[in-house]
Amino acid sequence: MDIINQVKRYRKSHNLTQESLAQAVGVSRRTIISLEKGSYTPSLLLAFQLADFLEIDINELFYLDKGLE
Amino acid sequence: MRKIVFEQVGNIGMVFLLAAALIQTVTFSTKSTILFGSCWSFFLIWTVLFGILKWLYSKFWKNEGYKFSDGEFSSKDEREKVISSKAVTFAYKVTITILLVECLIFAELDINSSYLQIAGIFFLSGSIIFAFLAYMLSWIFYDLKI
C-alpha cells in the first residue's frame, strides 16, 4: 500500500517554488522533488511541517492509496 | 553526493597509503630494527592534507550539510539520512561477503610465514577499501533512485 501526496498541487496553489518550500520546512530541494515524484515518503515530522506550512489538513496532503485493494 | 565522493576518495587514499607503508615496514624491517619507509611520509602528508581539506569543506560548503566529525555520514536533511542508512546496510552486506570469501581464500593459500603478514595487510586493507567503495557507490545509487 502506497502513500499518495498532494504536495505538488498545494505548493502550486500557494504559488511556491520547490526551493522556497524546501527552505520553509528545512529540507533540500531534492527532497521536495523526490516527495512530489512519490519516490520518497517523508517522516511524520516533515509531513506535519508541510501540512502546517501549506495550511492544509495532513489527511488531505497525505493519504493511503487503497485503489488496488 | 559530492561530499560523499570527497570523503570516500580521501578515506580510500588514506587506507591505501597506510597499507603500503605497513607492507614497506614489514618487508624491510629486521628482527632488531623497525624501518619506517617513505610511504609513511606520504601517509602522514595525505592524512594532514585530507584533514585540512575536510575542515575547509565543512567551513565553506555549509549548504551541503558536510560536517567534519560526521564525515561520510553527514546529511543535509532526513532524505540523506535515509540514503546513508540504506548505503550502510548495503556496505555491511558487501563487507561481510568479501570477508567470508577472503577467509576461504586465506585458508587455501599456501604461503610461508614471511609473506603471511603482507597477505594479511593486503586482504584487510582491500576489504576496508571495498567497504568504502560499496558505501560510496550505493549512496550515489540511492541518491539517484530516491
Side-chain angles (χ1 to χ4, degrees):
Chain A
M1 202 181 292
D2 295 323
I3 294 176
I4 304 288
N5 78 71
Q6 297 293 334
V7 171
K8 190 174 185 177
R9 185 180 142 204
Y10 285 106
R11 175 179 63 78
K12 286 190 170 175
S13 73
H14 282 71
N15 291 319
L16 290 164
T17 61
Q18 289 172 329
E19 186 65 47
S20 58
L21 180 60
Q23 280 180 1
V25 294
V27 295
S28 65
R29 186 171 160 254
R30 285 292 302 273
T31 300
I32 300 298
I33 292 168
S34 298
L35 265 171
E36 291 184 353
K37 273 198 309 182
S39 57
Y40 176 64
T41 305
S43 67
L44 204 51
L45 176 66
L46 180 57
F48 270 108
Q49 284 175 325
L50 285 164
D52 187 51
F53 184 75
L54 294 170
E55 297 171 319
I56 189 92
D57 188 282
I58 194 165
N59 292 305
E60 284 186 52
L61 197 57
F62 297 95
Y63 52 88
L64 288 173
D65 179 20
K66 295 175 182 172
L68 294 174
E69 275 195 283
Chain B
M1 189 193 298
R2 191 169 54 180
K3 61 176 178 277
I4 305 300
V5 174
F6 163 76
E7 179 75 27
Q8 295 306 68
V9 167
N11 285 337
I12 288 167
M14 212 159 67
V15 172
F16 178 79
L17 288 172
L18 177 65
L22 284 168
I23 288 171
Q24 198 178 36
T25 296
V26 165
T27 308
F28 296 110
S29 291
T30 59
K31 282 187 178 176
S32 55
T33 55
I34 298 170
L35 183 122
F36 291 96
S38 57
C39 282
W40 282 104
S41 307
F42 293 129
F43 168 69
L44 288 173
I45 290 165
W46 182 280
T47 304
V48 171
L49 194 68
F50 183 45
I52 293 167
L53 288 173
K54 277 179 70 159
W55 182 79
L56 289 171
Y57 200 121
S58 63
K59 288 285 170 198
F60 294 104
W61 282 276
K62 277 181 180 170
N63 61 333
E64 284 198 29
Y66 181 77
K67 283 183 192 158
F68 183 89
S69 55
D70 290 347
E72 63 266 46
F73 300 111
S74 301
S75 55
K76 200 190 312 190
D77 59 15
E78 61 170 53
R79 180 180 153 274
E80 288 196 349
K81 278 185 187 147
V82 170
I83 292 169
S84 285
S85 171
K86 284 177 182 282
V88 163
T89 307
F90 179 77
Y92 169 80
K93 287 175 183 170
V94 167
T95 308
I96 295 297
T97 308
I98 287 169
L99 287 172
L100 284 171
V101 171
E102 282 180 3
C103 279
L104 296 171
I105 293 170
F106 221 83
E108 289 298 313
L109 280 180
D110 182 25
I111 45 177
N112 60 42
S113 62
S114 61
Y115 292 111
L116 195 62
Q117 283 177 305
I118 294 169
I121 294 165
F122 178 80
F123 279 114
L124 288 172
S125 58
S127 305
I128 297 168
I129 288 170
F130 269 112
F132 283 142
L133 272 175
Y135 180 82
M136 181 178 76
L137 294 175
S138 57
W139 205 100
I140 292 167
F141 171 78
Y142 287 118
D143 187 42
L144 295 172
K145 190 185 167 199
I146 297 175

